[in-house]
Structure formats: C-alpha cells, structure tokens
Amino acid sequence: MYYYDVTVRGSRTDSCLSFVRVEFNGCVLGDSQKLDVPVDKDVVYNFTCSFECSEVAHTLDDVAHKPVILTVFEILPKEKKQKEEKTTVLGQAVVDLLPLLRGQCSFSSTVLLHAVPGSPADVAVHEDGVKSTLDVTVHVPEPLLSDAQRSDSNVLMVTVETAYSVPDVWNPASTPPSHYIAALQMPVSATKEQVLLFSNGVLKMGGEKEPVPRPKKWPLGSLLAPGAEVIQGLYIDAEPTDTDHGDLTDIEDKDFRADAECNQKRVSWDTAHRCFIDAGGVACLSRRIAECRLWPVEIMKAIQTAPTKGGKTRQGEDEVQISFHGVVYMDLVPLLYPGVQRIHGVYRIYPFYESDLLNKTQRTYSVLKELSRTPAALSRNRANSSVNSLKAFQSKTMENQRGNNDVSKKPDSQGKCAQTDSVSGLEPQVNTEGQMYADSRSYIIIEIAVEKPLAPKRPPEELAKRVMELVPPRPPLPRRPAGAERCNDMRYSVVRIVREKMLRTEAFSDPEQLQAFLSQLYVFLVDEMHAALNKTLSVDSQDAHQEPVLSCAQLKHFAREAELNTDYQLAAQYYQECLIQERSEPSHWCDYGAFHMLTADHLKAEECFQQALSIQQTHIPSLLMCGVLSEMNGRYEDAETFFERATCVEPNNVVAWALFGIFCQTQEKCIEAEMAFREANKQLNAVLLNESASRAEITSDTQSGQKKDQKDESSETPAGNTEETGGNTDEADAVHEEDRPQNDQESKQEVQQQIPPTSVQTTIYMETVWFLLQNYALQMAQRALALELLSPDRGTISSYHLALAKLHLLRGEHNSAEASLKEALTDNFQNPDIWALWGHLHYEKGDYSQAQSCYERTLDSVLDASDTHSIYLRLGSIYLQKGEYEKARPVFLRACKRSPSCLTWLRLGIACYRLEELTEAEEALTEANALNNRNPEVWGYLSLVCLRTGRKLEAEQSYKYALKMNLQEESLLEEIHELQSRVGFGNPSF
C-alpha cells in the first residue's frame, strides 16, 4: 500500500497536472489519479496499489534485489487538433523493500525524487536548489517470513566495483558500442540457482582514482532520471589493503595497484545485487563452498550487431558476440569463518577455459555462454526483464549441475572417474583475447556480504561467562568488622589488660577504689595509644612501611638461575617468596606455573595458571596455557573456550591466533584453522610494519645527530692538533679491566644499530614456538615447529633449527640437539644464540673444553646473545674449575654489573679469594650474603676470609652458620678445617 505526498513543478508556472506510475519487477502496478495542484502546494496523490508475492511471480528474491520504481509524469496542455494527451517525465524515485524481509509489516520512507535532465523539475532544482521528495508507506497484512524462516534464511549481496588495468586495446569511442558484463550464479534454494548479472559496466580512461565514498547502484540498467539507480545508504568506501582477500594483496603488489588504480584504464560497475537465500539455499551454499572453495565470476566484452537478412535471430533482438571472455576465481572460504559477514577481495582476471573451470570449480558450463543464447538478458536497457528470460536457463543449469555431479561420481568400467576423461576432452583453442587479461595483470574488486554469518561465532560475553564457570574469580576480601564487632574485640582486650597489667581479677566493692582504678586504667590506655601513634607516624621508624629486601623481579631472576643449575627446590622457594610479597599479581602465578611445567608437574601447573585467571580473567598467557593443558588432558571444549577467549581479549595477539589455529587444525576444523592463521599473519605483518617504521625513524634521527656532532667537532678542533688526537696508547692501557665490559657493551650496541632490520625474519609459528618453549609446553611446540617446516612462508632455516635444538635439549635428547645445531650453523654461522646453545649442550654433556670455546665465541660476537647471564655463569664456573681465576674474575664482574645475584657475587668472591684479593673477596661475599643469607657456601668462604684476616669471633660465627645451613662441599670443609688448625681459632670445638 503506497501513499504519495510530493511537491512538483511542471511546464506551467501556476499549476501542474501530474500523476504517479508505480512499477515493480518489470510490471506496471498502476497509475494514480491525475491531480492539478498549484506549484507551491504539496500534491497528495493518496494512491494505493498492490502486488502479490509468490514463488512464481514477484518472488522473495525479487523483493530483495529490485526496488519499486515511482515515475512522476506531467500531462502537457493539449494543443489544437491534438486528440491524445501528451506526457513528459518529471522525475523518478525508488523504494527499497528490504525491510519486509527483515520481519517488518509496515514502514514509511521519504525518498528523493530525481529530476529528469531538462525537465521543469530539473530547472527548478538548479534555480531554487530545492529537491522534491515522495512520502511512501509500505504495508503487508502479515510478515512475508515466519520467525523460523527468517532465522534460517539469509540475504547475500554481491558488489562488483571496478576492474583495473584492463586490456589497452579497449577504447571508449569504438563502434559499435560495447557492453562490459560480469555474471555469477548463487544458490537461492536447495534446487534453484540465481544468475547475478552486472551488465552496466562503463569503460573509463585513467588519470585519477575513483572517488570514495561513492554510492552503490541497483542492478536495473539505465533509468530515465540520473541518480535514481543509487541504493540509498550503501556506499563503497576506501579499504585498507591489509584487509583485502584474494590476489595482489602482498606488499610488493602495492605499487602496481596504486599505479593501476590511478593511471590505467578501468571498467566501473559499482553495482550491488542482493539475493534472498532460503534455508536450503544457505545449506547448499555452505556445502558448495566447503567442497570447492573457488567460485567463478565470468567477465566479457559484448558487442551488439544488427542481424542480417538471412540471420536466424528472432525479430527485435540483436545478436550478442562474446569477446574477451575472462574469469575470476574467488575464494569464498572466508565466508565460512566464524562470525564473518563480509569479504572484500582483489582478484586476478584469467582467460576463460572450460577445462580450467571444471578443474577448479567442478562446473561444466559457462554462464555467459548460456546467457548469450538469450540476448535480452544481456541487454543493458532491458535488464528489468532479464530474470523472466532466465527462468528456463536456471532450471536447465540446475539439471546440468546435478547431472554433472552424478557423472563425476560414477566410475567407468575400469573403475576410473569419468570426470578425468571429460577434462582431457575439453582442451579448447587458445583464448587470445582472454590472454590479454593475464598480460595486462587485470584485476577486479568484488565484495560479498551476508546479513547473518554462515558460521556463527560465540559472542565475547558468552566466552567470558564460560571462562568464569571454568575458573571462578577469586572471592572478594573478607568484610572488615563493623563498629559493634570492633567494640566487642576491644572489650576483650581491655579485660586482658586489666587482668595481666593491672593485676585485678575481683570486683570492686568500694566506689572510690573503682574510680581510682578507672583513672589509672585510662592513663595507661592513653599512654599506650600515644606510643602506638608515635611508632606508626614516626619518620624515623624503621618498622613502618618497610620495603622487602628483594623485589619480585630479583626473586624471579634468582629462580630462573636456580632452574639453570637444576636446583628446583631453591627455585620453588624463590617463586613462593615472590607470591608471598604480591599474591594478587597474576604474572607471578603464571611464572610459577611455567616452573611446574619444567618439572613436568602438569597438575600443579594448571592450578597455578587457573589461580592467575581467578585473579585476572583476561590474563592472556594464563588463558593460553590453560588452553594448552586442557588440550593435553583431552578437554577439547574447554581448550577451545580458552583459546577463543584469548583472541577476543587481545585481537592483535599473534600467538593467541596461531595457537587457536594449531588447536583447530588438530581437531580437523580446517576452516577455523585457516581463519586463525590468516588473522595471525595479518597481525604479525602489522607488527613488523610498525617496527620497520620505528627503526627507520630512529635511524634517521641517529644519522642527523651524528652529522651534527661531526660538524660541531670539526668546528671546535684546531687544525694543528690533529696529531695529538692520534691516541695515547698509554692512557688506553691504563683503563681498568672492570671498566672494559661497559665499553664493549656500548660498542656492541652501536654495531647492532647499524645492522639492517631486514636481517630479522619471523613467522607466526616461530613466535608461537618461542612462547611455548618459554613455558615448557614441549608437545605443542613440536606441533608448531612441524607447521613451520611445512609453511611456504617459513622464516630462516637457522631460527627453525635453533628452536628445534632447544626443544631436544629440554627433553635431554643431546644427539638430536647436536644435529639441529649443526644445521643451524650451516645457515647462519654468526648467530650468537646458536653458539650459546651449542655451549650449553657441551656443558650438560660434561665436555667443558668445548663448552668454553663456544661460550668465548658467543661473547666475542658482534651481537649479544639473548641470554648472557647463563653464559657468564657457566663460563666463569669452567674457569674456576680449571683454576684460571684471572679469566673468571672479569666474567663474573660482568655478570654482577648486568644481572647481579647471589651466585655471581659468590663466584666473584671465590675468584678474588683465590687471587689473594681478600678485601675485594669480602666485599663480593658480603653482597652475596645480602641477597641470600641462607647459602652455606657464602658463609664458608666468609669464614675463610675472616680466618685469613685474623678475626676470631667473625670467623667462628661464619663457620657456625655454614654448618647450620648444611654445608655439603667436602673440599671447602676440609680447607676450612685445615686453616682453622693452622691459625688456632675459628672452630668452637677448640
């Protein structure tokens, strides 16, 4: 039902005699009454018309992609001897009926009346700037779809935007005129396919980019009023290249696309075609995409020629000649990604061959070739009637499709599939014109969108609720006692004071004694209150707000050092001390969980990761490790929840997406895995691009600063002093040895800044591998390494073999680790991390000479290894074992400056003691004792220093603590006893 209210201006200046014609789907629904209204008044047509929506005529698909066309006519005044009325079109408007498919029974819309060029309405627009509108109301007695039908159905929209870098031989001025057509098929039901035809392509010359945003157009062909073909509210916007699907999406294609989209010829459609798909069609579409991910879109240049006298074409139709037959193979699998409603792709155009079409898409016919037999369907000016011309063709193509499926599945007498023979028999002639697409690197931009995802995705709220059910949040802190409860507590305290301090246990009989006692009690309580307040608020108080001796960062460093020395009991102690200080910090629990992963106590590890999640439900490392452990224990649904939740919390986290993809691949969810890996690559590329831009900016600033410094130095240095700056080697030799590590470190940092950033290459799998190795999830790390090995975009060979060697070393597989390290060195002989791990391998095997050689090479490298602390510790220990104390001293001094610990100070003290530097030894041992006063070896060497310096009481006290802390090193005990016997003190038993 439609009601129209419009202000129109006709050829007469005082009034306008007009009426409205309503059309839908190529049919005229009716004309309104003819009204003569003054030009300054609104015309109220109050016209009602209707049509019936059925499966035969005016289908739901017609409602989806065809608007109601409203044409306003003016009846011109009759001239003399004129028998019939003459009319002229003032303007046109369109009404979108999509709200009816969304469950609405009635809606009102105010649509713009687009003026026909040269009409009085167009003149009025240019003179007054006022555009006419139509008020329309659409009503249906009941919803077109039930709730169940609307829930199961979908509306798909294909937008063909622009084809770029088209063959250079195309010329807009060529005769006869050419039409540029694109076509594809979509299933709208389980048994019916709809041809989506885009026949209004316009060839344009290069020189400027297509404007954005620009409106999308209806697939109606040309209307009388320019602008009426525009779909209101739908626009083509600029798209970031990293979100594009399809081809030409790599960085190296960026320059080519920029040039093609600005300077090269292009064909522009900017047309959107919607189609309604019922439940059977949705299932058919999803199945077809899963079975054959490539979807063909055919493109051609059509030339219309008039038929000859002896031609066989029907009267009134032209013969359509297909030329430049090309095809685009769209990958529609991203539409099956969970939650995806839209893909925007850049696709190469290839020459059309039926053999390629069959091999890639399992289709046996060309849509355009079939349409060329019904030229009315390809006519631009008769696009509204194209569907009527295609009804027989659609039923035929569905039969062909079903027949092709039957034939392809039916084996011949030799047991081979008949499809093989058909492919070999479809070798066509060379498509010379279509080859021009490939030579020109032609490509087309197409968007496909659905109203509802084909594969629904769990919302973040549901995932958060599920994680909360699996790992309940930590309950809030207990409520503090209220006033009455505090008074009761104070009463008991006062009673205890009366009994213990005032020594009163009996009741008072004399009121004066009671009053005196109360006064005495009051004075006592006030004094205690003052003392407590002075202690709490005193600036000099040492007990108030006392900071812990060791920070959590230091405790974690000591714990990792203990792990390196396989002293897991001490490492656990450090982790527990860290938790005592900050029990509500999730990262501490996560690190403690990783420690239990190292000791293969997976039950304890999972408890720690869950404890971290109970504190912070969005802690990403704990979410990922809970997912890993759930997958290891066979709780696959829980694992999927944890991984998916991590991707929702941090959508830009590369490791979260990669781990989700590895899990989905293990569960044979190929489409979800592909989506996760694609998103991980997208995020990694963004990170690498940002890092490259940052490095370029830093390099530019550094170079400008160096130029400025050189200019300042050249201006300040006299010309006659150049020889004096040649260098005094005596002063250089006078630099203390302990100052050299800092200078070496500064020089290494300068060299690292000069190394080009392109030397670093990583992938999503390697990023994931290092995360898993850091948390000792070895089984999942092995899977990630296998994917890295199979990946076509794999990183460097050395990084893969380095990670594989690390995995073997953690498992104690020394021979396999050695083989992997040899492969890594073959690819990158200068990588310090490879040499460091090679040294660790020799150290664990007990080959200390080889380990020393590898460690020394690592420290002499231009680049620093990722973990130098372990190198310093083990290299220095080797020097101590060999008695090379002069070499051990600077190594431990470096370690104390970079990352001090009890062990670094202890071994520095040992080296100084052996070198007879007792003062320096005592200072180093004192530092070690401050970091860990429960180390018996520290107390033992302190006892030796005190014995050597003649301090009897301190030597005896240190010896007592060494025994109390259970000193186990027999050689050290013997040395202490021997020295005690020689000096005659230091042992309480003397």
Side-chain angles (χ1 to χ4, degrees):
M1 217 177 265
Y2 305 90
Y3 300 88
Y4 305 99
D5 187 7
V6 61
T7 302
V8 296
R9 180 176 298 183
S11 57
R12 295 182 298 177
T13 58
D14 54 345
S15 64
C16 178
L17 180 62
S18 64
F19 70 94
V20 173
R21 175 168 295 166
V22 183
E23 299 175 77
F24 178 73
N25 195 18
C27 300
V28 177
L29 303 182
D31 294 344
S32 70
Q33 58 181 330
K34 302 170 184 178
L35 297 178
D36 191 2
V37 178
V39 294
D40 56 347
K41 299 293 183 180
D42 291 342
V43 182
V44 181
Y45 294 106
N46 197 18
F47 171 62
T48 301
C49 62
S50 63
F51 66 88
E52 182 178 356
C53 187
S54 66
E55 296 183 359
V56 179
H58 308 316
T59 63
L60 294 176
D61 185 66
D62 294 331
V63 174
H65 80 276
K66 295 179 181 179
V68 173
I69 302 175
L70 312 173
T71 307
V72 178
F73 291 87
E74 180 190 9
I75 302 175
L76 299 176
K78 285 187 178 181
E79 299 178 357
K80 294 181 178 180
K81 299 181 180 180
Q82 180 179 337
K83 297 181 179 180
E84 297 181 357
E85 293 179 339
K86 288 186 178 181
T87 60
T88 183
V89 178
L90 297 178
Q92 285 183 314
V94 294
V95 178
D96 192 353
L97 300 181
L98 186 62
L100 298 180
L101 297 179
R102 293 175 174 169
Q104 296 186 27
C105 292
S106 178
F107 68 92
S108 298
S109 178
T110 299
V111 294
L112 186 65
L113 182 65
H114 300 274
V116 174
S119 67
D122 185 46
V123 174
V125 169
H126 287 88
E127 292 179 354
D128 303 335
V130 179
K131 297 182 179 180
S132 300
T133 58
L134 284 168
D135 295 333
V136 184
T137 299
V138 181
H139 173 76
V140 291
E142 59 183 13
L144 297 182
L145 298 169
S146 64
D147 292 340
Q149 289 175 325
R150 191 168 67 253
S151 176
D152 297 336
S153 61
N154 213 327
V155 176
L156 180 141
M157 181 172 66
V158 179
T159 304
V160 177
E161 299 182 10
T162 308
Y164 292 99
S165 189
V166 296
D168 197 52
V169 297
W170 290 3
N171 187 354
S174 62
T175 55
S178 300
H179 300 158
Y180 303 92
I181 300 171
L184 70 157
Q185 282 183 290
M186 279 290 168
V188 294
S189 69
T191 59
K192 180 182 178 182
E193 283 196 347
Q194 174 69 43
V195 177
L196 307 187
L197 187 65
F198 301 84
S199 58
N200 56 343
V202 178
L203 178 62
K204 300 180 180 179
M205 302 299 292
E208 61 180 7
K209 298 188 68 174
E210 293 291 307
V212 287
R214 58 187 186 272
K216 296 182 179 181
K217 304 173 184 176
W218 291 101
L220 299 176
S222 298
L223 295 178
L224 296 177
E229 72 277 5
V230 170
I231 305 176
Q232 297 297 321
L234 294 183
Y235 295 92
I236 297 174
D237 296 314
E239 297 282 344
T241 56
D242 59 343
T243 62
D244 284 337
H245 294 256
D247 313 312
L248 301 176
T249 57
D250 296 331
I251 298 177
E252 54 267 20
D253 300 319
K254 186 176 181 180
D255 293 338
F256 167 72
R257 286 186 55 185
D259 177 70
E261 293 173 17
C262 182
N263 302 319
Q264 303 298 322
K265 293 179 181 179
R266 77 284 307 269
V267 174
S268 177
W269 283 272
D270 295 341
T271 300
H273 196 304
R274 292 191 296 238
C275 60
F276 174 80
I277 307 177
D278 63 15
V282 171
C284 179
L285 176 63
S286 301
R287 185 183 67 255
R288 292 269 298 278
I289 295 175
E291 291 175 351
C292 185
R293 62 189 304 151
L294 298 181
W295 205 274
V297 179
E298 296 182 46
I299 299 171
M300 75 170 185
K301 176 183 177 183
I303 302 176
Q304 288 190 345
T305 58
T308 61
K309 294 182 179 180
K312 297 183 179 180
T313 57
R314 290 176 293 178
Q315 184 177 3
E317 292 183 350
D318 295 336
E319 181 182 354
V320 177
Q321 297 179 358
I322 296 180
S323 61
F324 292 92
H325 195 179
V327 63
V328 167
Y329 296 107
M330 298 177 58
D331 184 0
L332 295 192
V333 166
L335 277 181
L336 298 184
Y337 294 170
V340 170
Q341 295 179 256
R342 171 181 177 270
I343 57 174
H344 185 271
V346 179
Y347 304 98
R348 291 284 303 272
I349 305 177
Y350 298 96
F352 179 86
Y353 293 107
E354 291 185 355
S355 58
D356 291 344
L357 183 71
L358 181 59
N359 289 330
K360 294 182 178 180
T361 67
Q362 299 179 5
R363 295 175 183 262
T364 58
Y365 56 89
S366 165
V367 174
L368 286 180
K369 287 183 178 179
E370 295 291 338
L371 287 176
S372 65
R373 301 171 186 174
T374 57
L378 295 177
S379 174
R380 296 180 61 190
N381 299 327
R382 299 168 60 183
N384 291 336
S385 61
S386 62
V387 174
N388 295 330
S389 304
L390 295 177
K391 291 184 182 292
F393 166 68
Q394 292 167 0
S395 60
K396 175 182 177 181
T397 55
M398 287 303 297
E399 292 175 0
N400 290 342
Q401 183 69 24
R402 290 196 297 269
N404 177 60
N405 292 338
D406 295 339
V407 171
S408 62
K409 295 178 181 178
K410 182 179 179 180
D412 60 7
S413 59
Q414 298 179 353
K416 298 181 180 180
C417 183
Q419 180 178 325
T420 306
D421 298 334
S422 64
V423 173
S424 61
L426 285 176
E427 292 301 331
Q429 297 179 354
V430 176
N431 186 351
T432 305
E433 292 178 330
Q435 184 61 33
M436 293 185 184
Y437 290 123
D439 297 339
S440 303
R441 297 185 68 187
S442 303
Y443 65 92
I444 188 171
I445 299 178
I446 301 176
E447 176 192 274
I448 297 184
V450 289
E451 280 202 342
K452 290 172 288 189
L454 297 181
K457 181 181 180 179
R458 288 189 290 182
E461 297 79 10
E462 181 182 340
L463 291 171
K465 182 180 178 181
R466 177 61 179 154
V467 170
M468 193 177 299
E469 292 173 355
L470 295 173
V471 184
R474 174 183 287 185
L477 296 174
R479 185 175 58 88
R480 293 185 177 181
E485 297 175 357
R486 191 176 294 110
C487 289
N488 289 331
D489 295 339
M490 291 182 63
R491 187 183 70 173
Y492 293 122
S493 300
V494 172
V495 169
R496 190 178 68 253
I497 291 174
V498 170
R499 291 178 177 176
E500 297 177 0
K501 298 291 185 182
M502 315 301 288
L503 302 177
R504 293 293 303 186
T505 58
E506 299 178 355
F508 289 94
S509 57
D510 187 356
E512 293 182 359
Q513 292 181 355
L514 174 61
Q515 190 63 34
F517 176 79
L518 292 176
S519 299
Q520 184 182 2
L521 177 61
Y522 173 76
V523 171
F524 175 80
L525 292 176
V526 169
D527 290 343
E528 290 294 321
M529 179 186 68
H530 289 164
L533 288 174
N534 290 335
K535 184 178 180 181
T536 303
L537 302 177
S538 174
V539 178
D540 299 329
S541 176
Q542 298 296 324
D543 297 333
H545 306 290
Q546 185 176 3
E547 295 292 335
V549 178
L550 298 175
S551 66
C552 288
Q554 288 177 300
L555 290 171
K556 289 183 182 180
H557 172 58
F558 300 161
R560 286 188 287 269
E561 189 181 66
E563 293 174 2
L564 181 68
N565 297 324
T566 65
D567 191 352
Y568 298 133
Q569 183 177 359
L570 181 60
Q573 178 183 337
Y574 282 127
Y575 282 121
Q576 291 165 4
E577 290 181 13
C578 185
L579 289 173
I580 291 174
Q581 288 190 20
E582 297 178 0
R583 195 171 184 82
S584 297
E585 174 57 44
S587 63
H588 300 342
W589 286 103
C590 189
D591 292 334
Y592 195 27
F595 164 73
H596 287 299
M597 292 290 293
L598 173 62
T599 60
D601 191 350
H602 295 157
L603 183 61
K604 280 284 187 182
E606 189 169 20
E607 291 178 1
C608 293
F609 293 130
Q610 290 182 354
Q611 184 68 22
L613 280 184
S614 69
I615 297 170
Q616 182 181 341
Q617 295 271 299
T618 58
H619 191 248
I620 295 297
S622 299
L623 277 170
L624 296 177
M625 289 308 300
C626 281
V628 169
L629 287 167
S630 297
E631 196 266 350
M632 290 173 59
N633 295 325
R635 303 193 306 271
Y636 303 118
E637 185 177 350
D638 296 349
E640 183 175 7
T641 299
F642 286 123
F643 289 135
E644 193 172 357
R645 175 59 178 161
T647 61
C648 290
V649 173
E650 283 190 14
N652 59 346
N653 192 296
V654 176
V655 176
W657 282 110
L659 273 177
F660 187 34
I662 294 173
F663 168 78
C664 291
Q665 192 176 61
T666 306
Q667 299 299 308
E668 297 183 352
K669 298 181 177 179
C670 301
I671 294 177
E672 289 86 344
E674 179 182 316
M675 176 204 68
F677 290 145
R678 185 181 189 276
E679 192 65 28
N681 278 305
K682 172 185 170 183
Q683 300 302 332
L684 180 61
N685 290 336
V687 171
L688 296 178
L689 189 62
N690 292 335
E691 289 180 354
S692 299
S694 301
R695 281 195 293 263
E697 184 177 354
I698 293 173
T699 303
S700 176
D701 295 342
T702 304
Q703 291 175 350
S704 61
Q706 290 175 349
K707 290 180 180 178
K708 182 178 179 181
D709 294 340
Q710 293 174 357
K711 182 178 180 181
D712 295 340
E713 291 176 1
S714 61
S715 61
E716 294 177 2
T717 304
N721 293 342
T722 55
E723 295 182 358
E724 296 181 5
T725 61
N728 189 343
T729 57
D730 295 337
E731 293 183 3
D733 294 338
V735 178
H736 294 291
E737 188 174 9
E738 55 266 24
D739 294 335
R740 290 179 184 171
Q742 183 176 359
N743 297 334
D744 293 343
Q745 182 65 22
E746 292 175 356
S747 64
K748 286 184 178 182
Q749 290 177 354
E750 293 177 359
V751 174
Q752 286 178 351
Q753 291 178 357
Q754 297 173 3
I755 293 178
T758 55
S759 61
V760 180
Q761 185 177 1
T762 186
T763 65
I764 60 172
Y765 303 116
M766 292 309 303
E767 292 289 314
T768 307
V769 165
W770 293 120
F771 169 81
L772 294 171
L773 291 178
Q774 182 182 359
N775 290 278
Y776 306 103
L778 305 185
Q779 183 179 356
M780 187 73 81
Q782 185 173 8
R783 267 187 255 166
L785 281 171
L787 291 174
E788 169 70 12
L789 185 62
L790 298 174
S791 173
D793 302 325
R794 59 180 302 184
T796 59
I797 298 176
S798 60
S799 62
Y800 166 78
H801 285 288
L802 177 62
L804 184 60
K806 177 72 172 177
L807 176 65
H808 288 312
L809 196 61
L810 288 173
R811 288 177 169 173
E813 302 167 351
H814 293 161
N815 293 335
S816 299
E818 184 174 358
S820 297
L821 286 173
K822 288 180 179 178
E823 292 289 340
L825 285 175
T826 302
D827 180 65
N828 189 348
F829 198 73
Q830 303 296 329
N831 190 334
D833 285 332
I834 301 176
W835 285 105
L837 194 61
W838 188 272
H840 294 329
L841 174 63
H842 289 303
Y843 189 90
E844 292 186 9
K845 293 171 63 176
D847 190 353
Y848 298 118
S849 297
Q850 290 295 330
Q852 175 184 337
S853 176
C854 293
Y855 289 147
E856 289 173 344
R857 185 183 182 92
T858 303
L859 295 179
D860 291 340
S861 176
V862 176
L863 299 175
D864 274 341
S866 57
D867 179 19
T868 56
H869 185 75
S870 60
I871 301 172
Y872 291 142
L873 276 180
R874 289 184 167 177
L875 179 60
S877 300
I878 294 173
Y879 287 148
L880 289 180
Q881 291 176 8
K882 292 184 175 182
E884 299 177 356
Y885 306 117
E886 289 287 350
K887 292 183 178 180
R889 181 179 176 274
V891 170
F892 286 123
L893 187 60
R894 284 189 191 183
C896 291
K897 286 187 175 182
R898 291 175 65 107
S899 50
S901 68
C902 175
L903 284 182
T904 58
W905 285 113
L906 167 62
R907 292 174 183 176
L908 176 61
I910 294 173
C912 293
Y913 177 81
R914 299 305 178 192
L915 292 171
E916 299 295 330
E917 300 174 357
L918 300 182
T919 302
E920 290 81 356
E922 185 175 2
E923 290 177 358
L925 292 171
T926 303
E927 291 289 341
N929 197 32
L931 294 177
N932 183 6
N933 59 4
R934 301 184 65 84
N935 190 309
E937 197 173 354
V938 174
W939 289 111
Y941 277 99
L942 279 173
S943 179
L944 286 175
V945 172
C946 293
L947 289 172
R948 294 282 299 274
T949 55
R951 290 177 288 175
K952 179 179 180 180
L953 181 61
E954 296 177 41
E956 184 174 332
Q957 193 71 19
S958 298
Y959 176 68
K960 286 181 179 180
Y961 274 112
L963 296 180
K964 183 178 180 181
M965 300 303 167
N966 194 19
L967 179 61
Q968 297 290 330
E969 190 174 345
E970 293 294 336
S971 59
L972 180 57
L973 281 172
E974 291 178 1
E975 185 178 1
I976 294 173
H977 291 157
E978 181 182 350
L979 188 57
Q980 288 172 344
S981 300
R982 189 165 66 245
V983 299
F985 62 85
N987 193 329
S989 62
F990 288 173

